[in-house]
Amino acid sequence: GISHQSDGVNERDKPNTKQALITSYNSEIGPKVKAACLESNTNNNKDTCPKNAVVVGKRSTNQNFKSSIISWFNQFCILLQRSLKERRHESFNSLRVSQVIAAALLSGIMWWHSDFRDIQDRLGLLYFISIFWGVFPSFNAVFAFPQDRSIFAKERASGMYSLSSYFVARIIGDLPMELILPTIFLTLVYWMTGLRPEVLTFVQTLGVIIGYVLVAQGLGLALGAIIMDAKRASTIATIIMLGCVLTGGFYVHKLPRCLGWIKYASLTFYCYRLLIDVQYRGGEEISGLLGCSSHMRNNVADCKFVQEDVVGQISPLASVAVMLIMIFGFRLLAYIALRRMKV
């Protein structure tokens, strides 16, 4: 018994993350006014407490609210620091960075300085970018919560921190990888393949890719939190992303009427449409170059291809709105799934 006690004391004396979280959590002090009011009521002093109790009660409520905010922020900062330390080597390990750079160099060589008028080749490049940054982050995010399940369950059961502080710190801790790696990839691919040589267009393309990465990451987080089994979640993510790739609008154009709606359920569809709109401005410029806007069309096949692939099937604002809904919606599903998880 003495050895266990000494071990417990030594553990409590260690300035580790657990102790910091416990101290932050226990910093909330309950109001003492209620006890005073109860004592005064028992002594039949009804006139001495009400007015002062209301004022002091409001002050204590405000103090409790402020202390709760401070405690939550302290928990968030500690958990964010831990998340960044743990994910730093995992997110930027040599294997993952090499995978991204190799994919960028390979695609840059394959589409080296492609012609603006080679529509089919350009659309293939845009669709490849959509596929890569849909599959890559979703598969990585699937393993996030299942890997932390045992530690998360123990820490939550002991009341070390709130679920919201853990969840927000976990999401923000993954952002460096989600922002830096796509930027490196697109910087290499964009200028090697000869896409529109305008800084604004490059920034718009990067914004679309980052937004789509956040959507795909949110899908992976939601699947991992709901299923809590890495293998099963990765299998389901593979099936979902395969469906998104097939129905994204590049491979199949003439779907059966009963399945015409299915492309709007594809994550890849919205990223692909936005990339096309950024590069071809809705199709007016390329239609003019090919003579599709005139009565005497020079190449009927190319004009049909432009109408089916380049001309937007959905407005850019609608695509952005849907992607924003998915970014927050998938993360909300993940939070609800973690909240319902038994600890």
Side-chain angles (χ1 to χ4, degrees):
I2 297 174
S3 62
H4 288 296
Q5 272 187 345
S6 62
D7 291 340
V9 171
N10 290 334
E11 287 296 322
R12 285 194 298 269
D13 290 339
K14 292 180 181 179
N16 55 10
T17 302
K18 179 178 179 180
Q19 185 62 34
L21 288 170
I22 293 174
T23 303
S24 175
Y25 182 81
N26 291 333
S27 62
E28 300 180 21
I29 302 173
K32 300 179 180 179
V33 180
K34 186 177 179 179
C37 289
L38 290 175
E39 290 179 2
S40 62
N41 286 335
T42 56
N43 295 329
N44 293 325
N45 294 329
K46 297 182 180 180
D47 295 334
T48 58
C49 189
K51 293 182 180 180
N52 294 332
V54 171
V55 175
V56 178
K58 289 181 179 179
R59 291 178 181 175
S60 63
T61 303
N62 292 333
Q63 290 176 355
N64 289 335
F65 179 75
K66 291 180 180 178
S67 63
S68 299
I69 296 296
I70 294 173
S71 176
W72 186 95
F73 187 74
N74 290 335
Q75 295 170 16
F76 166 75
C77 291
I78 295 170
L79 291 169
L80 180 61
Q81 291 176 3
R82 186 178 72 173
S83 179
L84 289 174
K85 290 179 181 178
E86 291 177 351
R87 304 294 186 279
R88 181 175 55 189
H89 300 292
E90 177 185 344
S91 301
F92 297 103
N93 60 42
S94 58
L95 184 61
R96 185 170 296 183
V97 175
S98 300
Q99 183 180 1
V100 172
I101 294 177
L105 293 176
L106 182 61
S107 57
I109 294 171
M110 294 295 295
W111 281 278
W112 177 263
H113 287 279
S114 59
D115 194 337
F116 180 77
R117 290 166 293 185
D118 294 336
I119 306 172
Q120 189 170 5
D121 289 347
R122 281 291 183 91
L123 295 183
L125 171 62
L126 298 179
Y127 202 68
F128 169 76
I129 295 173
S130 302
I131 293 173
F132 184 81
W133 287 110
V135 173
F136 187 74
S138 62
F139 283 175
N140 291 330
V142 158
F143 298 93
F145 294 124
Q147 286 179 346
D148 295 344
R149 180 175 184 176
S150 59
I151 299 175
F152 170 73
K154 291 179 182 178
E155 293 176 346
R156 283 281 293 142
S158 63
M160 291 174 60
Y161 48 75
S162 63
L163 175 61
S164 59
S165 61
Y166 164 80
F167 186 79
V168 175
R170 186 68 175 81
I171 296 300
I172 296 179
D174 288 338
L175 285 181
M177 183 196 71
E178 309 302 339
L179 298 177
I180 295 175
L181 291 183
T183 304
I184 296 173
F185 175 90
L186 189 64
T187 302
L188 294 173
V189 171
Y190 197 92
W191 306 109
M192 289 179 69
T193 57
L195 295 174
R196 293 184 76 104
E198 301 166 4
V199 177
L200 179 60
T201 307
F202 171 77
V203 172
Q204 290 175 340
T205 306
L206 180 60
V208 173
I209 296 301
I210 290 177
Y212 184 55
V213 166
L214 294 177
V215 170
Q217 185 204 26
L219 174 65
L221 292 173
L223 290 175
I226 293 170
I227 300 172
M228 273 300 173
D229 184 271
K231 291 183 179 180
R232 291 173 57 194
S234 60
T235 302
I236 295 176
T238 302
I239 297 173
I240 292 175
M241 291 309 302
L242 180 61
C244 292
V245 168
L246 291 176
T247 58
F250 181 77
Y251 294 120
V252 182
H253 300 286
K254 294 182 179 179
L255 290 170
R257 290 186 178 180
C258 59
L259 296 177
W261 58 270
I262 200 170
K263 63 184 177 183
Y264 297 105
S266 172
L267 280 65
T268 311
F269 173 76
Y270 300 100
C271 176
Y272 180 53
R273 298 313 311 178
L274 285 173
L275 291 177
I276 291 174
D277 186 76
V278 169
Q279 291 296 317
Y280 288 103
R281 310 299 186 198
E284 293 85 359
E285 184 176 354
I286 194 67
S287 297
L289 289 174
L290 296 175
C292 299
S293 57
S294 60
H295 296 288
M296 298 295 294
R297 295 182 175 180
N298 297 331
N299 194 326
V300 178
D302 286 344
C303 294
K304 185 178 180 181
F305 191 74
V306 170
Q307 291 175 358
E308 291 180 351
D309 282 81
V310 178
V311 176
Q313 303 174 28
I314 185 173
S315 66
L317 288 178
S319 297
V320 171
V322 173
M323 290 180 67
L324 288 174
I325 292 173
M326 289 190 290
I327 288 173
F328 293 102
F330 286 141
R331 283 162 176 78
L332 180 61
L333 286 176
Y335 180 80
I336 294 173
L338 290 177
R339 195 171 188 84
R340 294 170 63 91
M341 188 183 76
K342 295 180 181 180
V343 295

